[in-house]
Amino acid sequence: MLSQMEFDKIQWYILHNSSEIDDYHIMHKEELTQENPLNVEKKHEAELASWFKDRVTTLCKNGSVGPKDDLYALGLGPDKRVAKYSGIMKGIRFHTLEHNQHRSMQNNGVMVESEHNSDDVNFYGILQEIIELDYLHGKRAYVFKCDWWDVSEKRNGIRDDGKSGSVNFSRKWYVDQPFVLASQVFYIDDIKNGGYWKIVQRVQPRNLYNIPEIEQKEDEEQRF
């Protein structure tokens, strides 16, 4: 069972990254701005899920949205009861840090490319949990809970010699924003810089993710 704080953060992350509801993001912000132009972004994050749920419920009642539509399931939100996994794969395999502690192979490195950073600073971290969320009519979504390394300072956080990048593992970043869908990377001990520095080796995923422990026919699985 997710805590209310975890549930709210995951809900926000999924809605914030669902392009099919971009128009609803705009509508909600406009309503908040009309009510009070102060702290709109903060209130948008805190109130979007409940506002969107009311909106799709109304749309379903008047027939504008079907009860089996993805939009309706997304609006009602996932169950707070979730499944957690130590490994996930399809063309590429992810493992949590705990799962990797007693193995020679390491598959817990994750990366997110920055979309709004003029310095092109990517985010690097370690996978702590793989969470499966259940929605209406068997629809699912998967999120990763991660620890992020602080790469905000090029000298003390990340170094790039043009051939490879190295990340400092001694400092964490965005502790209050741990949930994400990410690309995989591998970390190798940096002999040159030593200490907490690790060289980043990127991996290009070849397909979508699924849970290997559960065998289901492809046409029975529905995901956002």
Side-chain angles (χ1 to χ4, degrees):
M1 182 72 74
L2 291 175
S3 69
Q4 188 62 49
M5 181 179 294
E6 286 181 315
F7 183 77
D8 291 343
K9 287 183 179 295
I10 290 176
Q11 268 270 73
W12 163 250
Y13 174 76
I14 291 177
L15 293 177
H16 181 65
N17 289 279
S18 298
S19 58
E20 58 266 44
I21 70 165
D22 284 349
D23 290 342
Y24 293 93
H25 280 280
I26 295 172
M27 292 168 58
H28 186 229
K29 286 183 179 180
E30 288 177 346
E31 289 185 14
L32 292 174
T33 302
Q34 291 175 2
E35 293 172 3
N36 188 338
L38 298 177
N39 300 318
V40 169
E41 290 296 334
K42 185 176 181 179
K43 289 187 288 187
H44 175 58
E45 180 175 344
E47 301 173 14
L48 176 65
S50 59
W51 176 90
F52 184 54
K53 181 178 181 179
D54 292 340
R55 182 56 59 97
V56 297
T57 300
T58 300
L59 292 174
C60 187
K61 288 179 179 179
N62 64 31
S64 300
V65 172
K68 292 187 177 182
D69 290 352
D70 285 352
L71 195 67
Y72 184 64
L74 194 61
L76 292 191
D79 196 323
K80 285 186 179 179
R81 296 167 296 181
V82 302
K84 295 184 178 181
Y85 299 91
S86 60
I88 187 169
M89 67 172 290
K90 189 169 183 181
I92 192 166
R93 179 184 295 271
F94 288 87
H95 286 147
T96 61
L97 177 62
E98 182 180 4
H99 182 85
N100 272 171
Q101 284 181 343
H102 305 293
R103 292 174 175 260
S104 58
M105 295 293 291
Q106 178 253 100
N107 300 81
N108 53 47
V110 291
M111 184 200 76
V112 174
E113 292 186 351
S114 175
E115 298 179 359
H116 306 292
N117 195 312
S118 59
D119 294 329
D120 294 325
V121 175
N122 296 324
F123 298 88
Y124 299 93
I126 291 290
L127 179 58
Q128 296 290 356
E129 291 181 343
I130 300 164
I131 301 172
E132 178 189 62
L133 302 164
D134 287 327
Y135 289 76
L136 284 179
H137 310 301
K139 302 180 189 300
R140 300 193 229 18
Y142 300 98
V143 295
F144 294 170
K145 184 177 182 180
C146 307
D147 284 337
W148 301 109
W149 310 124
D150 187 351
V151 294
S152 58
E153 297 180 19
K154 290 186 176 181
R155 178 178 177 81
N156 297 316
I158 187 169
R159 297 173 183 173
D160 191 342
D161 61 8
K163 296 180 181 179
S164 62
S166 188
V167 176
N168 189 338
F169 272 35
S170 65
R171 304 186 304 171
K172 291 184 180 180
W173 205 20
Y174 285 94
V175 178
D176 61 339
Q177 298 181 35
F179 300 107
V180 76
L181 289 176
S183 298
Q184 187 177 45
V185 294
F186 291 99
Y187 297 119
I188 304 171
D189 289 342
D190 188 334
I191 298 175
K192 178 181 178 181
N193 290 305
Y196 291 99
W197 290 91
K198 303 283 185 178
I199 295 174
V200 180
Q201 295 289 316
R202 295 182 60 174
V203 176
Q204 181 62 44
R206 296 192 296 273
N207 213 325
L208 299 176
Y209 315 119
N210 75 344
I211 301 297
E213 289 86 349
I214 300 176
E215 294 184 0
Q216 290 178 300
K217 294 181 181 179
E218 193 67 22
D219 58 359
E220 292 178 348
E221 295 189 64
Q222 299 182 63
R223 298 182 179 83
F224 292 123

